[in-house]
Amino acid sequence: MSLPTPDTAHLRRPEYASVYEPAEDTFLLLDALESDRVELQALRPTVCVEIGSGSGCVSAFLGQVLDPHPALIISTDINPAANAATQETAARCTTPIALLEQCCTRFVQALDTRLAGKVDVLVFNPPYVVTPTEEIDSTPEASAWAGGRDGREVLDQLLPQIPALLSPAGRFYLVVIEQNNPDEVAQILAEHGLLGTRVLSRMAGREHLSILRFTRKHAE
Ligand SMILES: C[S@@+](CC[C@H](N)C(=O)[O-])C[C@H]1O[C@@H](n2cnc3c(N)ncnc32)[C@H](O)[C@@H]1O
């Protein structure tokens, strides 16, 4: 049975002018999390982190995937409007989430030393569209999609931090398009001891979207 998409009815046109509206990439990520539901529940995660939570749809959905095993879900975003949207989406969630905490920060900057080695599930749907570098973070809206060269400039800043964040059995779910060169992303993380698998792919208009899942090569 499919889990329901979290209620984001409180977000309408005015809010979506500055907050990323759930789209095909979001829904592919939800599908990947749901298809890993048994494994994710077996992991009994204590700490989950979504970087770039936007509407909060993915963070709230993750709470549903883990139900009845509540976890601490920390959602970060550089856009304060996204933080507010995520907070409201979590409040409307009918599934008990142990705690959904909001943090307005780049990646996990404000928290990284405290989170080191503790993140059981890390999720990122990054700004992945190929754009001129100057478009990155040029406006709150652009922060949602402008990824610079190869659509990778934002993601590439985060990649080296991931191994240190993950717990021994931790997993990282990442949205990519083909222009991001997923094999190269996997190669970079392989050099840091992480093993990547393409868990789902789908065409959405002209975008060939995939979800990559990374675990430690010798996950405990
Ligand atoms: C493609 S949207 C994804 C939103 C939501 N997770 C979803 O799947 O619908 C990317 C999100 O990442 C945020 N973002 C961009 N760069 C970021 C950074 N360096 N640190 C944290 N969040 C960032 C944007 O503000 C935006 O909300």
Side-chain angles (χ1 to χ4, degrees):
M1 196 180 70
S2 277
L3 293 170
T5 303
D7 178 7
T8 51
H10 55 292
L11 302 172
R12 295 179 188 276
R13 281 291 125 223
E15 288 82 13
Y16 285 135
S18 57
V19 174
Y20 188 76
E21 183 170 1
E24 290 300 328
D25 47 348
T26 315
F27 300 129
L28 190 65
L29 184 52
L30 301 191
D31 289 348
L33 293 171
E34 185 166 9
S35 68
D36 276 1
R37 188 179 188 185
V38 171
E39 288 172 38
L40 285 168
Q41 289 203 357
L43 190 63
R44 293 289 171 100
T46 305
V47 178
C48 304
V49 175
E50 184 191 7
I51 297 174
S53 61
S55 66
C57 182
V58 177
S59 290
F61 190 81
L62 183 56
Q64 294 177 186
V65 167
L66 299 178
D67 184 50
H69 306 296
L72 167 64
I73 301 177
I74 300 170
S75 308
T76 74
D77 206 294
I78 45 168
N79 176 0
N83 296 128
T86 297
Q87 197 66 56
E88 182 61 23
T89 302
R92 295 166 75 104
C93 216
T94 49
T95 309
I97 298 173
L99 194 61
L100 198 148
E101 279 291 326
Q102 272 304 298
C103 187
C104 187
T105 188
R106 286 192 86 71
F107 305 117
V108 284
Q109 220 166 50
L111 306 160
D112 50 5
T113 48
R114 277 172 289 170
L115 287 177
K118 295 193 173 67
V119 181
D120 299 308
V121 182
L122 179 66
V123 180
F124 191 25
N125 178 6
Y128 56 66
V129 177
V130 178
T131 64
T133 299
E134 312 76 74
E135 277 187 46
I136 297 173
D137 293 339
S138 53
T139 62
E141 306 86 78
S143 294
W145 47 267
R149 187 173 32 80
D150 297 331
R152 280 266 302 280
E153 288 188 52
V154 178
L155 175 62
D156 281 353
Q157 293 170 41
L158 175 71
L159 291 179
Q161 303 174 41
I162 288 167
L165 286 171
L166 291 182
S167 65
R171 310 173 143 218
F172 172 43
Y173 290 87
L174 174 68
V175 178
V176 290
I177 55 172
E178 283 311 291
Q179 290 92 328
N180 301 153
N181 197 346
D183 291 342
E184 194 178 271
V185 173
Q187 183 56 41
I188 292 169
L189 287 179
E191 284 159 17
H192 292 275
L194 299 185
L195 188 65
T197 312
R198 200 184 287 239
V199 287
L200 269 185
S201 290
R202 189 176 295 160
M203 285 305 296
R206 283 182 302 176
E207 281 182 351
H208 183 180
L209 292 158
S210 295
I211 307 300
L212 307 183
R213 181 186 62 216
F214 294 91
T215 52
R216 291 192 193 281
K217 281 183 182 154
H218 306 291
E220 287 168 21

